[in-house]
Amino acid sequence: MEQKKVLIVDDEIHIVHVVAIKLRNNGYEVISANNGAEAYELACDIKPDIIVTDFQMPVMTGMELVEKLRENEQTKNIPVIMLTARSFAVTKEQREQLHISDCLSKPFSPRELLVNIEDILYQNELVAEAK
Amino acid sequence: MFVEFGVIVLRRSGKILIVVTMFVVCITVICNTAWGSGYEVRRNMDYTDIMLGSISIVTVLYIAEALGVILTGLYMLKLAGAIASIARLLNSETSNSYDNHPLSILRLKKIKELREKIVVLFEERNSLVEMYDKQIKELKVQLHISQKRQTHIEEIIYSIRDSVIVVDEFDKLLMANEPAGKLLGFDYKKSYFKPIKEIISSERKEFLKFLSHTKKSRGQAARKELETIQDGKLKTYDCIVSCIYDNNKQVCGVVAVLHDITREKEISNMKNDFISHVSHELKTPLASITAYSEMLADDEANDEETRKEFYAVIQNQAQRLNRLIEDILNTSRIESGLIKINKEPLSMAILIEEQLKMIKSYAEEKEITIIGQTPIVCDQIYVDRDMISQVIVNLLSNAVKYTKPGGTVTIESKTDEAASKIQVLITDTGVGIPDDEIEHVFDKYYRVETNKKQARGTGLGLNLVKQIVEKIHNGRVFVNSRVGIGSTFGFELPLASKNIEITV
């Protein structure tokens, strides 16, 4: 089975580190970035299966990153999970409009994050098979 | 006036009457005497001549006398008419009878009555004059008081730093002070009684609209925040417009007070930003602690080394969380004056060394080199250990935060024994601070706009540094910075006096 690629974006290296260990331990390939701009370039290059991004970051925020991804034909369908310290920061309308698959508020559980990633990727596979 | 004139005329006309009568009597006597004494002469004359002569003299005399009497009568009638008109003016009770009997007014009794009335009138007039004089004096006093009050009110309004403007019911300017003139664009001393629509610049249309709306609504007061560009900067004013009512409870004008709340608005925005940032800042280390503990609980750390690494992260993040909470609490404690200060003699070099150890792992994470040059020579200070430690760690963590990987942060201390001061300088090779923002970096909640995206923060750290150094330790904080080159933050503290026992 092909290893799924996950792009983790957070300016907090501890968060990137812990999520990377959790996902690698569960068979995922992990790529990381420290801000939105760096993540966008990586997303265009490696086309990850899913992106886990922080909301508030220097240089380019998580929301700006998603907006840019959705504008690009190559990256517009990549599912995104948003990690945010402020759960109210992302509105329902924004989630729907930018096709944000899930929002997890910090502090979050790496276990829960893994389950959500698996769910989203499984649903995407089902949709792809149906097509 | 007329009465006085009438009295004078009466007196004078009496004299003329006597003179005329005396003249006629004298002429008659002289003629009679002349006629008697000239008998001898007349005897030698013709009888006819004598007769004719004597008839003609007597006739002339009698005609003259008759003329005198007629003239006197006519004069008396005129006089009586004049006096009667005076009497009518005086509204005499018997004035109607004068028309039937014109000369009856000249009766002594009537004239006496008239005189009494005139006297009464004079007395009344005098008392009226006195009363009016009194009233005029009172009015003058009231006018003086009123003018003083108006001046006083004007002085009060002129001394108010807020903009004050008063307009009448016809929207004409009644009063305004200098700030109002400056804000609304008119010369406040030369614009009185001019329509405000003509004097207030068109850029302030929103204010005029609000003023007019409040007046029309007849409500007691209305409040609105107005934003305007002044000297190229956005300013916010709290505008309160109140209606002025007359005795019939009708709106006879409005008074507007515009209070500059730009700073308050900025602080409010900064507070909102602070709440937003602080929640993020608190949750970030908490997120690491939660995630790493869960990983340990789930046996996701595959080896002892990874486990140790996880423990270290949890410990570091807990310390970070604690520092943040301390920042928030200490800011609040210092402001409220509730903080407990435990000053003791300490070595600055030792304090710096301790904090360098604290910050080391954070600097390593960011691949930043920290250089410490802090000789333990004459560096004794009398300070609160926890507070000065917080100052050092805040300045060091700030320097690391805003320096890109590969950069350097240097900390050094200099002692000026002559001035009895010690100076600590923390220099970074970070992003730097623009000139127009540098004066605000120690303000509470303030975050350098251009550096917000560079790193997160609460805007409390530097404010706390300033409060601890300046308010609690009588020191001084300072900053020098160049965008793209780096910044030097420093503080200065008085050295401990020699009679304090030094412990290191």
Side-chain angles (χ1 to χ4, degrees):
Chain A
M1 193 181 142
E2 198 190 335
Q3 207 178 21
K4 297 282 183 191
K5 281 183 275 186
V6 183
L7 173 61
I8 304 164
V9 196
D10 203 313
D11 59 325
E12 277 294 317
I13 53 165
H14 302 301
I15 299 292
V16 172
H17 189 54
V18 78
V19 172
I21 291 174
K22 183 77 182 177
L23 295 178
R24 278 188 193 124
N25 286 352
N26 286 276
Y28 288 91
E29 186 188 338
V30 179
I31 308 110
S32 65
N34 289 325
N35 61 63
E38 201 183 310
Y40 179 72
E41 281 179 20
L42 278 171
C44 293
D45 280 353
I46 60 164
K47 293 176 193 69
D49 295 289
I50 190 163
I51 296 171
V52 179
T53 179
D54 185 23
F55 174 76
Q56 202 173 349
M57 286 181 294
V59 187
M60 186 192 280
T61 67
M63 196 58 87
E64 286 164 349
L65 167 67
V66 182
E67 281 169 5
K68 260 195 125 180
L69 289 169
R70 297 298 174 246
E71 284 167 12
N72 188 333
E73 198 62 35
Q74 287 182 310
T75 56
K76 69 174 187 182
N77 292 320
I78 300 174
V80 173
I81 293 177
M82 188 82 82
L83 296 176
T84 170
R86 289 176 289 166
S87 48
F88 54 86
V90 185
T91 62
K92 200 181 166 189
E93 289 74 27
Q94 282 174 319
R95 275 187 66 172
E96 283 169 6
Q97 199 184 346
L98 295 168
H99 306 292
I100 297 168
S101 306
D102 202 358
C103 270
L104 287 182
S105 49
K106 285 182 179 178
F108 67 98
S109 156
R111 209 184 298 141
E112 191 189 344
L113 176 65
L114 177 69
V115 171
N116 288 11
I117 289 171
E118 283 171 349
D119 274 357
I120 292 161
L121 290 177
Y122 178 65
Q123 278 173 23
N124 271 18
E125 273 176 24
L126 289 178
V127 172
E129 277 172 24
K131 277 181 181 175
Chain B
M1 184 76 185
F2 285 112
V3 176
E4 282 173 0
F5 182 72
V7 171
I8 293 162
V9 166
L10 196 67
R11 282 180 185 167
R12 284 187 180 175
S13 60
K15 284 174 187 172
I16 292 163
L17 198 69
I18 292 160
V19 169
V20 170
T21 313
M22 287 293 285
F23 175 73
V24 170
V25 169
C26 285
I27 293 292
T28 313
V29 170
I30 289 162
C31 289
N32 286 338
T33 314
W35 194 13
S37 59
Y39 184 69
E40 290 298 322
V41 179
R42 283 195 300 269
R43 265 196 319 187
N44 298 327
M45 288 179 188
D46 239 7
Y47 180 74
T48 314
D49 292 342
I50 293 166
M51 278 306 283
L52 281 168
S54 48
I55 286 168
S56 62
I57 290 166
V58 169
T59 308
V60 168
L61 286 172
Y62 277 110
I63 288 167
E65 195 170 352
L67 270 171
V69 170
I70 289 162
L71 284 171
T72 307
L74 284 171
Y75 185 77
M76 293 288 274
L77 270 173
K78 264 196 170 180
L79 192 67
I83 295 168
S85 70
I86 292 167
R88 270 188 224 103
L89 279 173
L90 295 172
N91 199 18
S92 169
E93 287 169 13
T94 53
S95 59
N96 291 334
S97 61
Y98 305 144
D99 297 331
N100 301 328
H101 311 284
L103 289 173
S104 63
I105 192 71
L106 293 178
R107 288 214 307 258
L108 202 59
K109 193 184 165 191
K110 292 279 180 191
I111 288 170
K112 269 184 181 175
E113 274 176 20
L114 209 57
R115 185 183 166 278
E116 276 164 16
K117 273 179 188 160
I118 288 165
V119 169
V120 169
L121 206 66
F122 261 83
E123 280 169 359
E124 279 176 3
R125 192 208 68 158
N126 286 341
S127 63
L128 272 174
V129 167
E130 267 176 36
M131 194 179 79
Y132 289 142
D133 275 348
K134 209 176 166 186
Q135 282 182 355
I136 286 166
K137 273 179 192 169
E138 277 176 14
L139 282 172
K140 275 183 181 172
V141 170
Q142 280 177 9
L143 182 70
H144 182 70
I145 292 169
S146 167
Q147 279 172 341
K148 271 216 142 187
R149 272 186 192 158
Q150 194 182 345
T151 313
H152 192 56
I153 290 167
E154 278 178 353
E155 276 166 5
I156 290 169
I157 287 175
Y158 291 159
S159 66
I160 295 171
R161 290 180 69 186
D162 288 339
S163 303
V164 181
I165 178 166
V166 187
V167 296
D168 68 6
E169 57 196 304
F170 307 110
D171 286 339
K172 283 182 181 172
L173 184 74
L174 284 183
M175 208 181 277
N177 61 1
E178 197 180 351
K182 217 173 174 182
L183 172 66
L184 301 166
F186 62 86
D187 185 339
Y188 75 106
K189 279 187 176 170
K190 290 179 184 170
S191 304
Y192 281 9
F193 306 112
K194 285 184 183 173
I196 50 163
K197 277 181 186 170
E198 286 175 17
I199 56 167
I200 292 176
S201 66
S202 55
E203 290 165 13
R204 314 284 186 251
K205 265 182 188 169
E206 205 185 341
F207 170 71
L208 284 174
K209 214 173 155 185
F210 181 50
L211 211 68
S212 163
H213 177 76
T214 310
K215 206 177 86 179
K216 276 179 195 163
S217 70
R218 294 170 182 273
Q220 281 191 329
R223 196 172 196 158
K224 194 178 182 180
E225 270 184 23
L226 294 173
E227 284 187 340
T228 180
I229 304 287
Q230 232 182 328
D231 304 325
K233 284 182 182 174
L234 180 72
K235 293 253 182 185
T236 311
Y237 286 88
D238 179 21
C239 177
I240 302 170
V241 177
S242 315
C243 288
I244 308 165
Y245 301 96
D246 61 14
N247 292 337
N248 300 321
K249 293 185 178 173
Q250 293 297 309
V251 177
C252 61
V254 280
V255 56
V257 180
L258 293 109
H259 176 61
D260 187 351
I261 54 161
T262 311
R263 189 70 194 133
E264 285 91 331
K265 198 82 183 162
E266 280 171 6
I267 290 169
S268 168
N269 289 339
M270 281 196 267
K271 272 186 183 173
N272 291 339
D273 273 359
F274 167 74
I275 291 164
S276 156
H277 289 305
V278 88
S279 66
H280 191 273
E281 289 294 292
L282 288 170
K283 280 186 173 184
T284 301
L286 198 61
S288 292
I289 294 166
T290 312
Y292 280 87
S293 1
E294 190 190 286
M295 291 286 278
L296 284 168
D298 288 355
D299 280 331
E300 295 276 5
N302 296 326
D303 49 55
E304 189 57 30
E305 200 183 330
T306 315
R307 264 194 295 278
K308 276 187 181 173
E309 187 198 336
F310 281 17
Y311 290 134
V313 171
I314 292 168
Q315 200 179 11
N316 282 339
Q317 293 302 304
Q319 282 170 352
R320 180 178 162 187
L321 193 62
N322 184 53
R323 279 202 303 272
L324 195 66
I325 293 166
E326 282 296 310
D327 274 4
I328 298 165
L329 289 178
N330 283 343
T331 304
S332 168
R333 283 180 195 144
I334 291 170
E335 278 181 0
S336 61
L338 292 172
I339 197 155
K340 251 188 169 181
I341 305 158
N342 294 313
K343 285 189 183 177
E344 55 185 315
L346 293 164
S347 159
M348 178 64 92
I350 302 289
L351 282 177
I352 291 171
E353 279 300 315
E354 283 173 3
Q355 299 319 307
L356 277 173
K357 281 178 196 163
M358 290 279 290
I359 211 79
K360 201 181 163 192
S361 58
Y362 178 41
E364 280 171 0
E365 278 171 18
K366 279 200 75 181
E367 296 166 19
I368 287 160
T369 313
I370 295 196
I371 304 161
Q373 296 167 348
T374 52
I376 313 177
V377 182
C378 298
D379 67 338
Q380 284 74 32
I381 45 173
Y382 188 65
V383 295
D384 183 299
R385 176 189 285 271
D386 292 342
M387 288 190 184
I388 296 301
S389 297
Q390 197 168 14
V391 167
I392 299 165
V393 83
N394 277 5
L395 292 176
L396 280 172
S397 62
N398 246 21
V400 173
K401 195 197 276 186
Y402 291 100
T403 301
K404 285 178 183 169
T408 311
V409 171
T410 309
I411 180 161
E412 56 184 320
S413 63
K414 289 174 188 171
T415 305
D416 182 348
E417 279 191 81
S420 190
K421 280 175 185 171
I422 187 162
Q423 203 176 61
V424 178
L425 301 166
I426 292 131
T427 307
D428 62 53
T429 54
V431 288
I433 303 156
D435 288 346
D436 59 332
E437 294 201 68
I438 205 154
E439 59 177 310
H440 298 296
V441 290
F442 290 105
D443 290 357
K444 196 177 172 187
Y445 309 127
Y446 190 83
R447 298 201 63 224
V448 176
E449 196 59 45
T450 46
N451 296 349
K452 272 185 185 172
K453 286 208 155 187
Q454 182 69 30
R456 295 177 301 212
T458 57
L460 280 183
L462 287 178
N463 178 258
L464 192 62
V465 165
K466 187 181 168 74
Q467 301 246 37
I468 290 172
V469 172
E470 295 187 352
K471 205 169 173 180
I472 298 178
H473 292 93
N474 294 323
R476 181 176 77 91
V477 292
F478 51 87
V479 58
N480 290 306
S481 187
R482 283 179 71 188
V483 176
I485 306 284
S487 308
T488 297
F489 280 85
F491 64 93
E492 210 172 68
L493 289 172
L495 285 170
S497 52
K498 282 174 186 169
N499 54 356
I500 294 169
E501 197 186 328
I502 305 297
T503 54
V504 287

